[in-house]
Amino acid sequence: MRIYHIRNATMIIESSNKVILVDPMLGKKGTASPPFTLFRYKPKRNPILDLPNNGMEIINKTTHCLITHLHPDHLDKEGEKFLRKKNIPVICSVKDKKELEKRGLNVVQTVNYWKPSSFLGGTIEGIPAEHGYGLVRKIAGNVMGYYMQLPNEQSIYLSSDTVYTQDVDKVLTAYKPDISVAACGRAQLDFLKPLLMTMEDITRFIKNAPGKVIANHMEAVNHCPITRTQLQEELAKQGLSQKTLIPKDGGMMEFE
Protein backbone atom coordinates (compact mmCIF):
# COMPACT_ATOMS: atom_id res chain seq x y z
CA MET A 1 0.00 0.00 0.00
CA ARG A 2 1.17 3.50 -0.84
CA ILE A 3 -0.02 6.68 0.84
CA TYR A 4 0.69 10.05 -0.76
CA HIS A 5 0.42 13.26 1.22
CA ILE A 6 -0.75 15.96 -1.19
CA ARG A 7 -1.50 19.10 0.87
CA ASN A 8 -3.25 19.84 4.17
CA ALA A 9 -5.61 16.86 4.71
CA THR A 10 -5.68 15.86 1.04
CA MET A 11 -4.11 12.45 0.56
CA ILE A 12 -4.15 9.41 -1.70
CA ILE A 13 -4.37 5.82 -0.48
CA GLU A 14 -3.31 3.40 -3.22
CA SER A 15 -4.05 -0.30 -2.74
CA SER A 16 -3.83 -2.70 -5.69
CA ASN A 17 -5.95 -1.13 -8.46
CA LYS A 18 -7.89 1.12 -6.06
CA VAL A 19 -6.80 4.76 -5.63
CA ILE A 20 -8.70 6.57 -2.86
CA LEU A 21 -8.60 10.36 -2.78
CA VAL A 22 -9.25 11.77 0.71
CA ASP A 23 -10.60 15.30 1.31
CA PRO A 24 -9.74 17.02 -1.99
CA MET A 25 -8.72 20.65 -1.62
CA LEU A 26 -7.35 21.10 -5.13
CA GLY A 27 -7.55 24.84 -5.80
CA LYS A 28 -4.60 27.07 -6.54
CA LYS A 29 -3.02 29.17 -3.81
CA GLY A 30 -5.53 31.63 -2.34
CA THR A 31 -8.60 30.33 -4.20
CA ALA A 32 -10.40 28.01 -1.75
CA SER A 33 -11.53 30.43 0.96
CA PRO A 34 -10.90 33.79 2.67
CA PRO A 35 -8.60 33.78 5.71
CA PHE A 36 -9.90 31.66 8.59
CA THR A 37 -8.40 34.16 11.03
CA LEU A 38 -7.73 37.87 10.58
CA PHE A 39 -6.07 38.83 13.86
CA ARG A 40 -4.67 35.79 15.65
CA TYR A 41 -2.50 34.77 12.67
CA LYS A 42 -1.47 36.53 9.47
CA PRO A 43 -4.57 36.93 7.25
CA LYS A 44 -3.84 35.03 4.04
CA ARG A 45 -6.35 33.55 1.61
CA ASN A 46 -6.42 29.75 1.66
CA PRO A 47 -4.72 27.57 0.72
CA ILE A 48 -1.58 29.53 1.45
CA LEU A 49 0.51 27.50 -1.02
CA ASP A 50 -0.05 25.67 -4.29
CA LEU A 51 -0.33 21.94 -4.85
CA PRO A 52 3.01 20.15 -5.20
CA ASN A 53 4.28 19.73 -8.75
CA ASN A 54 3.35 16.04 -8.82
CA GLY A 55 -0.02 16.57 -7.12
CA MET A 56 -2.42 16.32 -10.05
CA GLU A 57 -0.43 13.51 -11.66
CA ILE A 58 -1.16 11.42 -8.57
CA ILE A 59 -4.73 12.68 -8.12
CA ASN A 60 -5.69 11.92 -11.73
CA LYS A 61 -5.37 8.21 -10.92
CA THR A 62 -8.28 8.46 -8.45
CA THR A 63 -10.89 5.68 -8.55
CA HIS A 64 -12.82 6.60 -5.37
CA CYS A 65 -13.10 9.60 -3.03
CA LEU A 66 -13.56 9.60 0.74
CA ILE A 67 -14.81 12.80 2.39
CA THR A 68 -14.63 13.41 6.14
CA HIS A 69 -16.53 16.73 6.25
CA LEU A 70 -17.50 19.73 4.18
CA HIS A 71 -15.16 22.54 5.27
CA PRO A 72 -13.46 24.24 2.30
CA ASP A 73 -9.98 23.14 3.42
CA HIS A 74 -11.19 19.54 2.96
CA LEU A 75 -13.46 19.93 -0.05
CA ASP A 76 -13.13 23.07 -2.15
CA LYS A 77 -14.74 24.14 -5.43
CA GLU A 78 -11.89 22.71 -7.50
CA GLY A 79 -12.19 19.43 -5.62
CA GLU A 80 -15.91 19.30 -6.37
CA LYS A 81 -15.27 20.18 -10.02
CA PHE A 82 -12.74 17.34 -10.33
CA LEU A 83 -15.12 14.82 -8.76
CA ARG A 84 -18.01 15.87 -11.00
CA LYS A 85 -15.97 15.95 -14.19
CA LYS A 86 -14.65 12.43 -13.68
CA ASN A 87 -17.85 11.16 -12.00
CA ILE A 88 -15.74 9.75 -9.17
CA PRO A 89 -17.65 7.47 -6.74
CA VAL A 90 -17.85 9.30 -3.40
CA ILE A 91 -18.04 7.73 0.07
CA CYS A 92 -19.10 9.98 2.95
CA SER A 93 -20.83 10.29 6.31
CA VAL A 94 -24.54 9.52 6.25
CA LYS A 95 -25.00 13.10 7.51
CA ASP A 96 -23.33 14.64 4.44
CA LYS A 97 -25.03 12.64 1.68
CA LYS A 98 -27.82 15.10 0.81
CA GLU A 99 -25.54 18.13 0.68
CA LEU A 100 -22.97 16.39 -1.50
CA GLU A 101 -25.65 15.19 -3.87
CA LYS A 102 -26.94 18.79 -4.10
CA ARG A 103 -23.46 19.73 -5.28
CA GLY A 104 -23.72 17.16 -8.05
CA LEU A 105 -21.37 14.54 -6.62
CA ASN A 106 -21.77 10.82 -7.24
CA VAL A 107 -22.38 9.53 -3.69
CA VAL A 108 -22.30 5.73 -3.91
CA GLN A 109 -21.97 4.83 -0.22
CA THR A 110 -22.65 6.38 3.16
CA VAL A 111 -21.01 5.40 6.43
CA ASN A 112 -22.53 5.35 9.91
CA TYR A 113 -20.77 5.87 13.23
CA TRP A 114 -19.49 2.66 14.84
CA LYS A 115 -21.08 0.49 12.13
CA PRO A 116 -18.65 -1.42 9.87
CA SER A 117 -19.76 -1.81 6.27
CA SER A 118 -18.25 -3.36 3.15
CA PHE A 119 -15.74 -1.19 1.31
CA LEU A 120 -13.63 -2.14 -1.72
CA GLY A 121 -13.40 -5.75 -0.63
CA GLY A 122 -12.69 -4.83 2.98
CA THR A 123 -14.51 -2.78 5.62
CA ILE A 124 -14.96 0.83 6.65
CA GLU A 125 -16.39 2.22 9.90
CA GLY A 126 -17.31 5.76 10.89
CA ILE A 127 -15.58 7.16 13.99
CA PRO A 128 -16.93 10.24 15.83
CA ALA A 129 -14.69 13.30 15.58
CA GLU A 130 -15.06 16.47 17.66
CA HIS A 131 -13.76 19.43 15.68
CA GLY A 132 -12.60 21.58 18.58
CA TYR A 133 -12.50 22.11 22.33
CA GLY A 134 -15.66 23.41 24.02
CA LEU A 135 -18.17 25.61 22.23
CA VAL A 136 -16.25 25.88 18.97
CA ARG A 137 -16.95 22.24 18.10
CA LYS A 138 -20.66 23.07 17.79
CA ILE A 139 -19.85 25.85 15.35
CA ALA A 140 -17.52 23.53 13.39
CA GLY A 141 -20.30 21.00 12.83
CA ASN A 142 -20.32 17.38 11.77
CA VAL A 143 -17.06 15.51 11.12
CA MET A 144 -16.42 11.79 10.63
CA GLY A 145 -13.19 9.87 11.01
CA TYR A 146 -12.77 6.45 9.37
CA TYR A 147 -11.30 3.11 10.38
CA MET A 148 -10.52 1.03 7.30
CA GLN A 149 -9.33 -2.49 6.69
CA LEU A 150 -8.55 -3.00 3.01
CA PRO A 151 -7.77 -6.48 1.64
CA ASN A 152 -4.24 -7.69 2.45
CA GLU A 153 -3.24 -4.28 3.80
CA GLN A 154 -2.45 -2.73 7.16
CA SER A 155 -5.43 -1.18 8.94
CA ILE A 156 -5.79 2.61 8.77
CA TYR A 157 -7.42 5.13 11.11
CA LEU A 158 -8.12 8.52 9.55
CA SER A 159 -8.94 10.51 12.67
CA SER A 160 -9.80 13.64 10.60
CA ASP A 161 -10.28 17.05 12.24
CA THR A 162 -10.68 16.18 15.89
CA VAL A 163 -9.38 16.79 19.37
CA TYR A 164 -8.42 13.88 21.62
CA THR A 165 -11.61 12.24 22.89
CA GLN A 166 -12.70 8.97 24.45
CA ASP A 167 -13.73 7.82 20.97
CA VAL A 168 -10.28 8.55 19.58
CA ASP A 169 -8.70 6.75 22.53
CA LYS A 170 -11.01 3.75 21.97
CA VAL A 171 -9.87 3.34 18.38
CA LEU A 172 -6.18 3.66 19.24
CA THR A 173 -6.27 1.29 22.20
CA ALA A 174 -9.00 -1.22 21.26
CA TYR A 175 -8.94 -1.30 17.44
CA LYS A 176 -5.14 -0.97 17.38
CA PRO A 177 -4.73 0.47 13.86
CA ASP A 178 -1.45 -0.22 12.11
CA ILE A 179 -1.43 3.29 10.65
CA SER A 180 -3.10 6.38 12.16
CA VAL A 181 -3.43 9.82 10.57
CA ALA A 182 -3.62 12.86 12.85
CA ALA A 183 -4.38 16.50 12.04
CA CYS A 184 -1.53 18.33 13.77
CA GLY A 185 -1.78 22.02 12.84
CA ARG A 186 -3.72 23.09 15.98
CA ALA A 187 -6.10 25.26 13.95
CA GLN A 188 -7.71 28.17 15.82
CA LEU A 189 -10.02 31.00 14.84
CA ASP A 190 -9.83 34.57 16.17
CA PHE A 191 -12.12 33.52 19.02
CA LEU A 192 -12.74 30.47 21.24
CA LYS A 193 -10.49 27.46 21.79
CA PRO A 194 -8.49 25.47 19.18
CA LEU A 195 -10.27 23.45 16.50
CA LEU A 196 -7.64 20.72 16.47
CA MET A 197 -5.46 18.94 19.01
CA THR A 198 -3.02 20.97 21.06
CA MET A 199 0.61 19.84 21.05
CA GLU A 200 -0.03 18.04 24.35
CA ASP A 201 -2.85 16.01 22.81
CA ILE A 202 -0.91 15.40 19.60
CA THR A 203 1.86 13.74 21.58
CA ARG A 204 -0.72 11.83 23.62
CA PHE A 205 -2.25 10.56 20.38
CA ILE A 206 1.14 9.43 19.10
CA LYS A 207 2.10 7.76 22.38
CA ASN A 208 -1.17 5.80 22.46
CA ALA A 209 -1.15 4.83 18.79
CA PRO A 210 0.09 1.24 18.47
CA GLY A 211 1.65 1.72 15.03
CA LYS A 212 2.96 4.48 12.80
CA VAL A 213 1.35 7.93 12.84
CA ILE A 214 1.17 10.19 9.79
CA ALA A 215 0.97 13.88 10.73
CA ASN A 216 -0.91 16.18 8.34
CA HIS A 217 -2.98 19.41 8.24
CA MET A 218 0.07 21.68 8.62
CA GLU A 219 1.47 24.69 6.75
CA ALA A 220 -1.37 24.89 4.18
CA VAL A 221 -4.09 27.06 5.75
CA ASN A 222 -3.64 30.31 7.63
CA HIS A 223 -5.17 29.31 10.98
CA CYS A 224 -2.77 26.42 11.69
CA PRO A 225 0.30 27.69 13.59
CA ILE A 226 2.17 24.42 14.27
CA THR A 227 4.85 23.83 11.64
CA ARG A 228 6.54 20.59 10.64
CA THR A 229 9.76 21.79 12.27
CA GLN A 230 8.04 22.61 15.56
CA LEU A 231 6.37 19.21 15.59
CA GLN A 232 9.64 17.43 14.79
CA GLU A 233 11.41 19.25 17.62
CA GLU A 234 8.72 18.37 20.17
CA LEU A 235 8.61 14.72 19.10
CA ALA A 236 12.40 14.50 19.36
CA LYS A 237 12.23 15.76 22.96
CA GLN A 238 9.71 13.06 23.83
CA GLY A 239 11.36 10.20 21.93
CA LEU A 240 8.50 9.89 19.43
CA SER A 241 10.30 10.77 16.21
CA GLN A 242 10.74 7.19 14.98
CA LYS A 243 7.05 6.51 15.40
CA THR A 244 5.87 9.51 13.38
CA LEU A 245 5.94 10.32 9.69
CA ILE A 246 5.77 14.02 8.79
CA PRO A 247 5.64 13.96 4.97
CA LYS A 248 6.33 16.87 2.66
CA ASP A 249 3.64 17.84 0.16
CA GLY A 250 3.77 15.32 -2.66
CA GLY A 251 5.63 12.79 -0.54
CA MET A 252 4.98 9.05 -0.77
CA MET A 253 5.00 6.51 2.08
CA GLU A 254 5.00 2.77 1.41
CA PHE A 255 3.65 0.15 3.81
CA GLU A 256 4.16 -3.61 3.44
Side-chain angles (χ1 to χ4, degrees):
M1 177 171 60
R2 292 178 176 178
I3 297 179
Y4 296 86
H5 171 71
I6 305 299
R7 178 180 61 186
N8 199 48
T10 305
M11 59 193 296
I12 288 280
I13 301 170
E14 183 177 4
S15 174
S16 185
N17 63 341
K18 303 295 189 295
V19 180
I20 307 164
L21 171 62
V22 180
D23 285 353
M25 179 178 65
L26 306 185
K28 294 180 180 180
K29 179 179 177 180
T31 63
S33 72
F36 290 118
T37 171
L38 296 174
F39 309 110
R40 187 182 297 275
Y41 308 116
K42 189 172 182 178
K44 296 180 180 180
R45 288 189 60 86
N46 296 297
I48 60 175
L49 76 172
D50 279 319
L51 288 170
N53 291 335
N54 63 341
M56 288 310 301
E57 178 183 351
I58 301 165
I59 290 164
N60 280 328
K61 300 176 183 179
T62 297
T63 61
H64 297 78
C65 179
L66 187 62
I67 296 172
T68 65
H69 63 300
L70 306 183
H71 290 172
D73 59 331
H74 290 256
L75 177 64
D76 66 0
K77 295 299 182 183
E78 284 300 314
E80 291 177 15
K81 182 179 177 181
F82 172 83
L83 297 175
R84 284 194 300 267
K85 181 179 179 180
K86 297 212 167 190
N87 197 35
I88 300 294
V90 170
I91 300 90
C92 66
S93 164
V94 66
K95 294 185 177 181
D96 292 333
K97 179 177 186 289
K98 289 184 180 179
E99 177 58 31
L100 290 175
E101 287 180 336
K102 282 183 184 178
R103 301 185 190 185
L105 303 191
N106 178 25
V107 178
V108 298
Q109 181 176 352
T110 58
V111 182
N112 280 292
Y113 293 103
W114 300 121
K115 291 184 180 179
S117 55
S118 298
F119 179 59
L120 303 180
T123 61
I124 189 169
E125 181 173 349
I127 307 299
E130 293 188 9
H131 199 340
Y133 296 92
L135 178 61
V136 73
R137 74 169 180 263
K138 295 183 179 180
I139 298 170
N142 167 65
V143 183
M144 178 176 277
Y146 297 101
Y147 175 74
M148 295 187 291
Q149 294 183 294
L150 299 173
N152 304 311
E153 301 286 13
Q154 296 186 39
S155 58
I156 309 173
Y157 172 36
L158 304 177
S159 63
S160 188
D161 283 11
T162 189
V163 299
Y164 199 100
T165 66
Q166 289 184 344
D167 294 322
V168 170
D169 190 76
K170 174 181 175 180
V171 177
L172 295 177
T173 57
Y175 287 38
K176 298 188 182 302
D178 297 304
I179 304 161
S180 299
V181 181
C184 294
R186 205 200 72 213
Q188 191 169 6
L189 304 175
D190 285 325
F191 55 92
L192 301 176
K193 296 180 180 180
L195 289 153
L196 296 175
M197 288 184 283
T198 60
M199 187 70 84
E200 180 181 2
D201 275 345
I202 292 168
T203 56
R204 182 183 176 195
F205 183 107
I206 295 168
K207 287 175 182 177
N208 290 339
K212 289 285 187 179
V213 175
I214 299 172
N216 70 2
H217 213 308
M218 290 179 289
E219 300 180 1
V221 284
N222 89 299
H223 65 327
C224 287
I226 293 179
T227 67
R228 289 175 170 91
T229 298
Q230 288 170 335
L231 181 60
Q232 287 170 340
E233 290 173 351
E234 183 62 31
L235 297 182
K237 290 177 186 177
Q238 301 202 31
L240 297 172
S241 298
Q242 295 301 313
K243 196 176 182 181
T244 312
L245 301 170
I246 310 176
K248 295 181 180 179
D249 292 355
M252 186 270 285
M253 298 154 281
E254 194 156 10
F255 300 90
E256 298 294 334

